[in-house]
Amino acid sequence: DGHLYWFNTTIVPLRYVKGQTQSSIIIQNNITEQKRTVEALTKIHTITSDTQITTEDKIQELLILGRDIFNLSLAMISEIDEAKDTYLVRYTSMPNNVIKLGSRFNLKDTYCAHTLKANRAIAYHDVSQSEIVNHSCYKNFALESYIGCPLLVAGNLIGTLNFSSLVPSTHPFTDSDLEII
């Protein structure tokens, strides 16, 4: 299907009396997810450890990388004020800057409300087929795919990191995806 797959392969020859190989046993383990995770974490480390670029540039590079990793078109970092129930867009990476920096939303009208309630990374690859199909974010923005996590500094919630798209993800998000975000 055009995708690259990685396998760990072991081949054991089966020999008969005269030492000739008559057949083989082949054992393959698909390690594509592990390879993908290692590559993603290596790229994240390369960006975050680069002392030649500013924090702002690192954030933008990480958002672009996340869009590539998850194959989703919209990336945002928000600042959350739970007392005021607000979601403030601090950083974005998306086509045509559809959502402007500084945009404010009611927190309950974002998928991030589910992320914060779960207090962990969560994902929906096809919202129209999920338990949150009636959520106001889906009704207002028709975001079909979402993966997001809370952002904590010194144990305190400051916001969320999330990636989304107007089209369903081509495959369900994996545990590796949740670890990467």
Side-chain angles (χ1 to χ4, degrees), residues 80-164:
I80 301 293
D81 184 339
E82 287 185 291
K84 295 180 182 175
D85 198 31
T86 60
Y87 175 101
L88 175 65
V89 177
R90 285 292 186 193
Y91 299 94
T92 64
S93 175
M94 58 189 66
N96 304 318
N97 294 319
V98 177
I99 298 175
K100 304 288 183 214
L101 293 179
S103 295
R104 248 180 231 283
F105 299 96
N106 188 317
L107 179 59
K108 70 177 181 192
D109 292 333
T110 69
Y111 293 150
C112 293
H114 295 282
T115 301
L116 298 178
K117 183 177 179 184
N119 196 29
R120 61 177 173 76
I122 62 169
Y124 300 96
H125 80 283
D126 186 351
V127 173
S128 70
Q129 302 300 311
S130 76
E131 68 273 10
I132 66 167
V133 68
N134 293 317
H135 192 272
S136 54
C137 189
Y138 185 68
K139 290 179 179 179
N140 295 332
F141 302 106
L143 293 176
E144 285 286 358
S145 299
Y146 169 88
I147 184 167
C149 68
L151 292 178
L152 305 170
V153 173
N156 298 312
L157 175 70
I158 62 162
T160 60
L161 166 65
N162 64 85
F163 300 89
S164 56

Side-chain angles (χ1 to χ4, degrees), residues 36-117:
R36 188 172 154 257
T37 299
V38 168
E39 288 175 353
L41 292 174
T42 300
K43 289 176 183 178
I44 291 168
H45 179 265
T46 300
I47 293 169
T48 58
S49 64
D50 188 342
T51 59
Q52 303 300 310
I53 61 174
T54 66
T55 300
E56 297 286 321
D57 289 340
K58 288 179 185 184
I59 291 169
Q60 286 304 312
E61 285 190 34
L62 289 169
L63 290 176
I64 292 166
L65 176 61
R67 287 175 53 196
D68 290 342
I69 290 169
F70 302 119
N71 196 29
L72 300 174
S73 58
L74 310 171
M76 284 190 280
I77 294 177
S78 71
E79 180 181 323
I80 301 293
D81 184 339
E82 287 185 291
K84 295 180 182 175
D85 198 31
T86 60
Y87 175 101
L88 175 65
V89 177
R90 285 292 186 193
Y91 299 94
T92 64
S93 175
M94 58 189 66
N96 304 318
N97 294 319
V98 177
I99 298 175
K100 304 288 183 214
L101 293 179
S103 295
R104 248 180 231 283
F105 299 96
N106 188 317
L107 179 59
K108 70 177 181 192
D109 292 333
T110 69
Y111 293 150
C112 293
H114 295 282
T115 301
L116 298 178
K117 183 177 179 184

Side-chain angles (χ1 to χ4, degrees), residues 10-14 21 23-27:
T10 302
I11 302 173
V12 180
L14 297 178
T21 300
S23 61
S24 299
I25 296 174
I26 300 172
I27 302 168

